[in-house]
Amino acid sequence: MKVLVTYFSQSGNTEKIAKAIWEEATQSNEADCKKLEDITPEGVSGYDVIFIGSPLHAGSLAAPVKECLGVLKASSGQKMAGFITHMAPAYPDQDMEVFTEPIKAACKEKGIEYKGCFDCQGFLAEAMHGPVQKKLNMDDEQWAGMVKAMTGHPNEEDVENANAFAKEVLG
């Protein structure tokens, strides 16, 4: 199979997970790992399986990822899986459904088989700490707890889980 792992990453979290998925994909497939800005809608049609990654921005996929999903050119028999990174330790399943809806909708519209989505905690870029703490209305003690929880992510266990997800999707 020909596999594409593509992603949008600003802080390196999503890129780290992309590389883990790509490493797993290379075990028994021809696989490419490319930043979102390095792919074209037409170029994606040459892949059997597409993994697309995004950080969550204000509870939604990053705008460049949603834009990409809108212009993809599908080919017969393609499969797609998503992967997302976020600062929160965990989200309820119903939130994950909302986050993955743009991927599911693009798959449905373009006749691509949706294969699920992997989510992983990441570390929020330092420059975003103040604005996010304010937006979440957290006092300094609450925010310190949040920072402690996200420090070190994505970690080795997160990478192993990403590998397992890729293996399952590529089955």
Side-chain angles (χ1 to χ4, degrees):
M1 278 190 302
K2 196 167 178 193
V3 179
L4 172 64
V5 180
T6 188
Y7 62 94
F8 176 75
S9 185
Q10 293 172 300
S11 62
N13 296 320
T14 309
E15 181 175 33
K16 186 173 184 177
I17 297 303
K19 288 182 177 178
I21 290 171
W22 173 77
E23 285 175 13
E24 182 62 41
T26 62
Q27 298 302 310
S28 55
N29 303 280
E30 180 184 335
D32 295 319
C33 187
K34 298 180 179 184
K35 291 181 179 180
L36 197 64
E37 64 261 25
D38 295 335
I39 65 167
T40 64
E42 297 77 20
V44 172
S45 67
Y47 291 92
D48 301 303
V49 180
I50 303 160
F51 288 90
I52 188 163
S54 177
L56 288 182
H57 289 172
S60 186
L61 298 179
V65 174
K66 288 195 271 189
E67 183 182 316
C68 175
L69 289 168
V71 298
L72 279 179
K73 305 277 189 247
S75 67
S76 177
Q78 271 186 320
K79 298 174 184 174
M80 181 182 291
F83 59 100
I84 58 176
T85 58
H86 46 79
M87 61 166 247
Y91 281 103
D93 288 341
Q94 63 269 27
D95 285 350
M96 290 307 300
E97 288 298 315
V98 172
F99 302 150
T100 59
E101 189 52 42
I103 301 170
K104 291 177 187 173
C107 286
K108 185 175 182 178
E109 177 189 321
K110 297 166 192 313
I112 299 170
E113 183 183 348
Y114 176 71
K115 298 297 286 182
C117 189
F118 174 75
D119 76 287
C120 172
Q121 185 174 19
F123 188 79
L124 184 66
E126 239 10 92
M128 294 302 296
H129 282 217
V132 171
Q133 179 183 0
K134 184 177 180 180
K135 183 178 191 270
L136 295 176
N137 199 25
M138 290 184 163
D139 64 33
D140 289 345
E141 187 176 324
Q142 291 170 313
W143 183 250
M146 182 69 83
V147 170
K148 184 177 180 184
M150 68 175 133
T151 298
H153 287 278
N155 60 25
E156 195 55 44
E157 182 180 351
D158 298 325
V159 167
E160 288 172 16
N161 290 338
N163 286 340
F165 172 73
K167 193 173 193 170
E168 182 182 317
V169 168
L170 296 169

